[in-house]
Amino acid sequence: MLVIIKDDYQAVSKEAAQLVANRLLTKPNLVLGLATGSTPIGLYQELIRRCRQDGLDLTKITSFNLDEYVGVPPDHPHSYHRFMREQLFDHMNLDPRHVHIPNGMAMDIEAHCEWYEEQIQRAGGVDLQVLGVGANGHIAFNEPGSSLGSRTRVKTLSHKTREDNARFFASMDEVPRYAITMGIGTIMEARELLMLVTGESKAAALRDAVEGPLTAMVPASMIQMHRKAYVIVDRAAASLLQGEHSASISEASLTRRRL
Ligand code: GLP
């Protein structure tokens, strides 16, 4: 695991976009795992900018999103389908057949979750999975207490997560209670992880994830078990870290720090 501390949100977004761009150079048909939430928006904006200005090409990728609310139709303003369209997909020419987001309206959710796992396998597995972290240490919608080997399934959202996400809805009552989410086991099978953590409100979650004990109560702590994980954070999020960390991926590789 490599923790990289950048000055601010913009620098985190640029460093993350550079890593994605590097992977696209070696594998244009990258299988990219995508995340929602405010944190990766800067990364998506930077990718869009690089597509327009630098000729970065995402048209051959296959994407898999981490999660979606149950009972929220794809066109709902707060669905993750809609979020991804607005933040990324509408700005580039992706093949819709290669874009995957769990369907929160599936009639048979269990069968849908199995199908989603099969699609990931058929695509050859996720090459690079983008991740954010919830203030309570969740990844995707794997709330504290989630099985560390879990697969794609329905999870009940915690009160804290519903409160945190209430800002996107008209009232707390409207915040969905359930979500379909890739499991921790599913996420851990990605060949590389790219976790982004920014802002003071995430400082404790980041500390617990990268320097705390491995525990199901902090699902993000599983990143310590991954063989190739990058954790790119800003100074505010890093304020409670005690270990020594690098300022960039290139510096880290120069000093031969091990992943
Ligand atoms: C939601 C998503 C997570 C995301 C988290 C943090 O719960 N399911 O994937 O990491 O929010 O979001 P934000 O980046 O807005 O803090």
Side-chain angles (χ1 to χ4, degrees):
M1 178 184 62
L2 202 55
V3 178
I4 293 151
I5 304 177
K6 308 301 288 184
D7 280 340
D8 54 24
Y9 178 77
Q10 209 193 353
V12 167
S13 304
K14 280 184 184 289
E15 184 83 3
Q18 184 61 50
L19 189 133
V20 175
N22 289 347
R23 296 301 178 270
L24 281 165
L25 272 182
T26 48
K27 189 177 179 194
N29 61 342
L30 197 71
V31 180
L32 189 57
L34 297 170
T36 52
S38 313
T39 313
I41 291 178
L43 161 64
Y44 299 152
Q45 286 174 348
E46 185 60 17
L47 289 176
I48 293 164
R49 188 194 67 73
R50 291 179 74 137
C51 287
R52 286 189 185 143
Q53 293 174 10
D54 307 342
L56 183 73
D57 182 12
L58 271 92
T59 57
K60 298 182 187 65
I61 70 162
T62 296
S63 72
F64 286 93
N65 262 78
L66 288 169
D67 46 15
E68 176 60 286
Y69 292 117
V70 168
V72 174
D75 275 332
H76 188 282
H78 304 307
S79 75
Y80 284 170
H81 278 77
R82 180 87 168 255
F83 174 97
M84 289 309 302
R85 281 208 300 275
E86 286 173 1
Q87 299 300 335
L88 190 66
F89 301 152
D90 281 355
H91 308 277
M92 49 190 56
N93 199 12
L94 300 187
D95 182 339
R97 291 169 308 175
H98 294 166
V99 168
H100 305 84
I101 305 179
N103 177 7
M105 299 300 283
M107 297 290 280
D108 182 343
I109 291 191
E110 220 171 291
H112 179 67
C113 293
E114 269 177 42
W115 174 86
Y116 202 71
E117 289 274 339
E118 279 164 25
Q119 296 311 300
I120 296 174
Q121 295 305 322
R122 283 184 62 174
V126 173
D127 290 309
L128 176 65
Q129 176 66 58
V130 176
L131 288 173
V133 178
N136 63 359
H138 74 239
I139 47 174
F141 271 131
N142 294 284
E143 296 282 24
S146 293
S147 304
L148 298 178
S150 51
R151 315 301 308 186
T152 303
R153 69 215 183 292
V154 173
K155 283 297 288 180
T156 304
L157 303 183
S158 70
H159 185 69
K160 169 75 179 141
T161 297
R162 293 185 64 238
E163 251 176 18
D164 287 349
N165 289 350
R167 66 188 193 277
F168 300 113
F169 295 84
S171 71
M172 185 70 180
D173 280 348
E174 278 190 27
V175 185
R177 291 176 186 277
Y178 304 98
I180 297 176
T181 178
M182 273 190 207
I184 300 175
T186 321
I187 293 169
M188 287 292 289
E189 279 173 12
R191 288 179 197 94
E192 291 185 287
L193 300 182
L194 173 56
M195 183 183 272
L196 308 179
V197 192
T198 58
E200 213 183 324
S201 63
K202 300 285 179 67
L206 176 65
R207 176 201 56 203
D208 294 349
V210 302
E211 293 183 348
L214 242 187
T215 166
M217 290 314 286
V218 182
S221 65
M222 268 308 270
I223 195 146
Q224 298 175 36
M225 290 291 287
H226 199 277
R227 293 173 63 182
K228 223 172 171 197
Y230 301 88
V231 185
I232 309 183
V233 308
D234 65 4
R235 291 207 178 282
S239 57
L240 299 177
L241 295 186
Q242 292 185 341
E244 275 182 38
H245 303 291
S246 301
S248 68
I249 292 172
S250 50
E251 180 198 281
S253 47
L254 275 178
T255 55
R256 294 174 186 277
R257 290 182 67 120
R258 293 168 65 88
L259 280 172

